[in-house]
Amino acid sequence: MKIQTLFGSLEELERKEQLRKEGKLGFIDRMKDAVTKTRDNLSDRIEEIVAFNKDIDANTLDDLEASLIGADLGSTTTHEILSALRERATYKQIDDVYELKRLLKEQISEILARSDGAPPRQVQDEPMVILVVGVNGTGKTTTIGKLAALLRGQGRSVLLCAADTFRAAAIEQLEIWGQRTGVEVIKTKPGGDPSAVLFDALTAAKARNVDYVIVDTAGRLHTKTNLMAELEKMKRTAQRIVSNAPHEVLLVMDATTGQNGLQQARQFTQSAGATGIVLTKLDGTAKGGVVVAISRELGLPVRYVGIGEKQGDLIPFNANEFAESLFR
């Protein structure tokens, strides 16, 4: 009975497990799986708080504040969410825990939607150029491989550009992903000129009518002035070959670093001109609320989330589905 109450019927569990093995699990179910740790932690705490306080009032929200911050929504985001609910709580307009969760979902969806901004620029008759930036260790190159697999699965042609010539084995790592996904990698020798290999990749992509060029860049810190200058040089090179390139600059962030990665991300946003975020390792943390904090603080849309180690474990982000997944 407990298993049925908390997780659904055994038949449903078995059906989901079979779909997972076959790679046919829907996006909403995959998102729910990814934030299981966060959802269990957050939902349990909310139910405990409401059970203890009985009435949902200002005291309940005060107790709830620590739980939201513990889920890594951050103090500023948490304050905004709870401020919107305090008047309702004061006048006893939140009837029960289900209503409280519904209102929390609404607030989280609203914050995420506010950062959605414009979708990636679409191009015609030229490759769409995506620069991928981020600090080494966040899963940047792996994300590129997964993104290539995702686009290939949509019937798009893809070319990878190994422009991270500074990190040892970066080119080899990208080549492995190229072999896995059936995508060609344009490369140069280690220590070579990143802008030169980008020139070659974009020239080849135009000649072959390729849909997407995904560019791996050196993992750089904002203090590395020479590397940031190299990125600017790459952008100028891209614009000479493909109009308005790059069309998207994706900043890869590790969800497990939580609030600690925000300052670094701010610098990337300013220096690299990031237009969207890819949040990796979401399945590895009980603090998935960091998605909301990052989106709010940086004012950037989350484009994709990494939810596992497999090739297909990168999914397009949906604000409503994410908010729904955070609560049970």
Side-chain angles (χ1 to χ4, degrees), residues 28 32 39 42-43 46-47 64 68 73 81-82 84-85 97-114 292 317-328:
I28 183 65
K32 284 181 177 178
R39 180 174 60 255
L42 193 54
S43 289
I46 291 173
E47 287 164 13
L64 181 59
L68 295 180
L73 273 83
I81 290 171
L82 294 183
L85 303 186
V97 67
Y98 304 104
E99 176 71 1
L100 177 59
K101 288 181 182 180
R102 185 186 68 79
L103 292 170
L104 288 170
K105 290 176 193 177
E106 282 184 2
Q107 290 299 313
I108 289 171
S109 292
E110 184 181 313
I111 290 172
L112 291 169
R114 199 187 306 155
V292 188
F317 183 76
N318 179 287
N320 291 330
E321 289 180 0
F322 176 76
E324 187 70 31
S325 299
L326 281 181
F327 303 93
R328 62 166 185 258

Side-chain angles (χ1 to χ4, degrees), residues 42-80:
L42 193 54
S43 289
D44 287 349
R45 285 294 299 132
I46 291 173
E47 287 164 13
E48 287 172 10
I49 290 166
V50 172
F52 180 78
N53 290 326
K54 296 184 179 178
D55 292 327
I56 298 177
D57 53 19
N59 291 329
T60 308
L61 298 187
D62 288 341
D63 292 340
L64 181 59
E65 183 173 4
S67 296
L68 295 180
I69 291 174
D72 227 5
L73 273 83
S75 57
T76 305
T77 305
T78 296
H79 177 74
E80 178 181 338

Side-chain angles (χ1 to χ4, degrees), residues 39 54 67 147 172 180 217 242 261 272 275 278 304 311 326:
R39 180 174 60 255
K54 296 184 179 178
S67 296
L147 181 56
E172 290 83 355
R180 288 177 183 170
T217 66
V242 177
T275 58
V278 181
Y304 302 94
Q311 182 173 299
L326 281 181

Side-chain angles (χ1 to χ4, degrees), residues 31 33-38 254-258 279-288 290 305-309:
M31 183 68 79
D33 281 356
V35 297
T36 295
K37 294 178 182 177
T38 303
D254 181 343
T256 62
T257 63
L279 201 61
T280 64
K281 308 175 189 177
L282 185 61
D283 59 312
T285 179
K287 297 185 175 184
V290 72
V305 288
I307 59 170
E309 300 298 323

